[in-house]
Amino acid sequence: MMKIRALLFSSRGGLLLLPWAILIGLTFRASPYGLTEEGAKALLLAWSISDQVASAVFTLGAPDIRAILFLPLGLLWSGQVIAAKVLTLLTMAGAGVALYRWRRRDDQDEAALLATGLLLIAPLTVESINALSAAPFLLAICGAAAWLNQMLGSERGTFGGWFFAQLLLCAAAVSLHPAGLAYPAVLFFTWWTNPADQRHREYFLLGIPLVVLLVLAMRLGWPGMAWGQNPLPAAAAVFSGSRTESPLSTEDWLIGSTVLALTLAVALHERRRLVADLTGGTLLVGVVFGAAAADRTWGVLMLALLLYGGLPWLLRACAPLAGRGLVVQRGWLWLLLLLISTSFMRTHKSDYEAGRHNLFSAQDQLIRDFAEGVNSLRTGDRAGGQPAAPILVASSWPARTSIACKCDGLPLPPVAKDPDSQLAMMRGVSYLILADSTDNRALANNFAQLGPRVEVLSRQPGGVVLHFKPL
């Protein structure tokens, strides 16, 4: 009877997620813009392998675990970014189901339902799906952590599949983001202090550090990660949604500070309950570790911690109101949900309108200008009966640029001692997309001194597009 009820519940849950998945899918941008650099790199590598085409993507460094997950998409729908977004959407749905089942334990069904619903409709969550962010995959790992450990405890063999599944999940988490270090750290501590099976203890204590060090050595850490970012933009993005490079407004500062303060309060108050199992501990420690980068992927994890840790605390605190009528007991909750959902809905509407009118971030606008110029050049070559010349571009965002312009992208060269040496490094490179960043000022100064040998094709708030004239 219990199995039948569980099966019916799973079916209803799947049916409830279906309209959510359809609505989120309708908001996807078909254009190859708005992606994260690491997500684009993994997708490019999967396409190159499936098509057996030599590509400059192999010069961009080792990708994360998503390259393996995207590989079947390259075999079936090569060149289709939308297919990767659908896979990320399904991963987020699976993460929501896993986190809901974790939180509904100990008679917390109401908190689990509310937290999962708000997480799935949050603008930052929708943006992370559309951008091929690592956040849905990290949340899926968090949701599966406690279940995998439970399955391993019921396994009889020492080297069974669940043992290697957890080690594989450790490697996947570490490859995605610094916050992913939380899963192997919490897993190691669990097996050190309270192993589920004494026979597996030594293997875990040896295998976990080995896997983590191997992944970090293969990927050289997290290339391209910006460390020490201001956490307020990521916290404010919980309500503001789409990416923007504009300075934070007073409203954003207020929202970001409030979200950070609430998350800190939840983390301190609920820490003992959260670290009682692998899923809660991974989520809590992941937010702590991810704060070193404080990007939008970290923002999604912070939102999940706030919802899955804060709502149970809030409902427990209001338990004395039971028996005073439905309006007194839950009226405040309805009002809170109405305000949050209305704010989310307004942000979704503005994001959808921005997509309809092709409004891009400053970085994507720069990449788009270059891609349109390349496409015009190719059209002219075809009209003149000439084969399209291969285009090699060095970019601050090589993977995103390669997907947008369908050409080979390379990372930026190192800074040379003088302009002529800098130009010699660019042999074979026709174009360069340089982000407006303090890290690129020395590089920009070298190119600025080259005079007529370098042509500025586009200048945007996000940076410049340069063309190297043939000698």
Side-chain angles (χ1 to χ4, degrees):
M1 185 64 182
M2 293 297 294
K3 292 183 178 180
I4 295 176
R5 289 179 61 185
L7 180 61
L8 290 175
F9 179 82
S10 299
S11 300
R12 287 199 301 269
L15 290 176
L16 289 175
L17 285 175
L18 182 60
W20 168 81
I22 293 174
L23 290 174
I24 299 301
L26 292 176
T27 66
F28 285 165
R29 288 191 176 187
S31 60
Y33 302 104
L35 308 179
T36 61
E37 180 65 17
E38 286 301 310
K41 182 196 299 185
L43 188 58
L44 270 179
L45 182 61
W47 288 349
S48 299
I49 294 175
S50 61
D51 290 340
Q52 299 182 4
V53 174
S55 173
V57 68
F58 293 97
T59 66
L60 305 183
D64 55 46
I65 193 64
R66 286 173 292 178
I68 299 177
L69 301 177
F70 291 157
L71 190 57
L73 304 181
L75 295 172
L76 298 174
W77 301 284
S78 182
Q80 299 297 321
V81 179
I82 198 71
K85 293 185 178 183
V86 171
L87 176 61
T88 308
L89 173 67
L90 297 177
T91 302
M92 188 64 224
V97 171
L99 290 172
Y100 168 79
R101 292 179 176 176
W102 160 69
R103 188 74 285 179
R104 69 191 288 253
R105 299 171 187 170
D106 302 326
D107 297 325
Q108 299 189 81
D109 295 49
E110 183 179 10
L113 184 62
L114 294 176
T116 303
L118 291 176
L119 176 66
L120 293 179
I121 66 173
L124 187 57
T125 302
V126 176
E127 185 221 327
S128 70
I129 298 171
N130 212 6
L132 300 184
S133 168
F137 300 91
L138 284 173
L139 286 177
I141 291 173
C142 287
W147 175 75
L148 277 177
N149 207 44
Q150 181 181 0
M151 296 301 295
L152 179 62
S154 61
E155 189 181 59
R156 296 182 178 179
T158 302
F159 285 107
W162 298 115
F163 169 79
F164 292 104
Q166 285 192 297
L167 292 185
L168 179 61
L169 216 59
C170 287
V174 173
S175 72
L176 288 168
H177 195 270
L181 283 170
Y183 178 57
V186 175
L187 185 64
F188 183 90
F189 180 78
T190 300
W191 282 91
W192 177 273
T193 58
N194 186 27
D197 188 339
Q198 194 66 34
R199 295 172 300 174
H200 294 79
R201 184 174 185 270
E202 294 182 359
Y203 299 107
F204 267 104
L205 298 184
L206 177 63
I208 292 174
L210 184 62
V211 167
V212 171
L213 292 176
L214 180 62
V215 172
L216 292 178
M218 288 177 58
R219 301 200 69 236
L220 300 178
W222 298 274
M225 181 68 65
W227 300 97
Q229 298 184 68
N230 182 3
L232 286 177
V238 170
F239 289 92
S240 62
S242 291
R243 298 170 180 267
T244 177
E245 290 82 17
S246 60
L248 289 179
S249 63
T250 304
E251 181 183 1
D252 290 334
W253 276 92
L254 180 60
I255 293 175
S257 301
T258 302
V259 172
L260 282 176
L262 289 175
T263 305
L264 180 60
V266 169
L268 293 176
H269 188 273
E270 297 292 297
R271 63 187 186 278
R272 295 187 183 277
R273 291 185 176 91
L274 288 171
V275 300
D277 59 51
L278 270 175
T279 292
T282 300
L283 191 57
L284 176 61
V285 179
V287 172
V288 175
F289 286 176
D295 56 3
R296 296 169 88 91
T297 296
W298 172 78
V300 178
L301 297 179
M302 182 183 61
L303 174 61
L305 176 63
L306 178 61
L307 292 174
Y308 286 99
L311 283 173
W313 177 22
L314 188 61
L315 293 176
R316 286 196 307 269
C318 297
L321 297 177
R324 299 188 180 183
L326 185 61
V327 175
V328 176
Q329 184 180 357
R330 287 294 182 264
W332 59 271
L333 182 60
W334 296 341
L335 180 60
L336 180 63
L337 293 177
L338 177 63
L339 293 175
I340 294 176
S341 300
T342 302
S343 176
F344 285 176
M345 182 179 63
R346 292 183 58 186
T347 303
H348 287 313
K349 181 180 178 181
S350 63
D351 289 348
Y352 180 73
E353 291 296 328
R356 285 184 57 193
H357 294 91
N358 292 323
L359 300 179
F360 300 99
S361 67
Q363 295 179 3
D364 286 318
Q365 185 61 51
L366 190 66
I367 296 174
R368 185 191 182 202
D369 288 349
F370 173 72
E372 290 180 346
V374 168
N375 291 333
S376 299
L377 184 63
R378 288 169 175 163
T379 302
D381 289 341
R382 287 195 295 267
Q386 300 177 355
I391 295 176
L392 188 61
V393 54
S395 173
S396 296
W397 317 281
R400 293 163 59 188
T401 304
S402 298
I403 290 180
C405 70
K406 297 181 174 62
C407 57
D408 284 330
L410 295 173
L412 294 177
V415 179
K417 59 182 179 180
D418 56 69
D420 291 331
S421 301
Q422 193 73 67
L423 185 62
M425 290 183 181
M426 308 308 295
R427 188 175 303 276
V429 176
S430 306
Y431 301 91
L432 183 137
I433 303 179
L434 192 63
D436 184 12
S437 170
T438 55
D439 296 336
N440 295 331
R441 285 182 179 176
L443 200 60
N445 288 336
N446 278 344
F447 290 126
Q449 298 177 46
L450 291 174
R453 287 179 288 181
V454 177
E455 178 185 5
V456 179
L457 298 181
S458 176
R459 188 185 300 273
Q460 298 287 342
V464 295
V465 178
L466 305 179
H467 175 227
F468 298 99
K469 296 180 179 180
L471 298 178

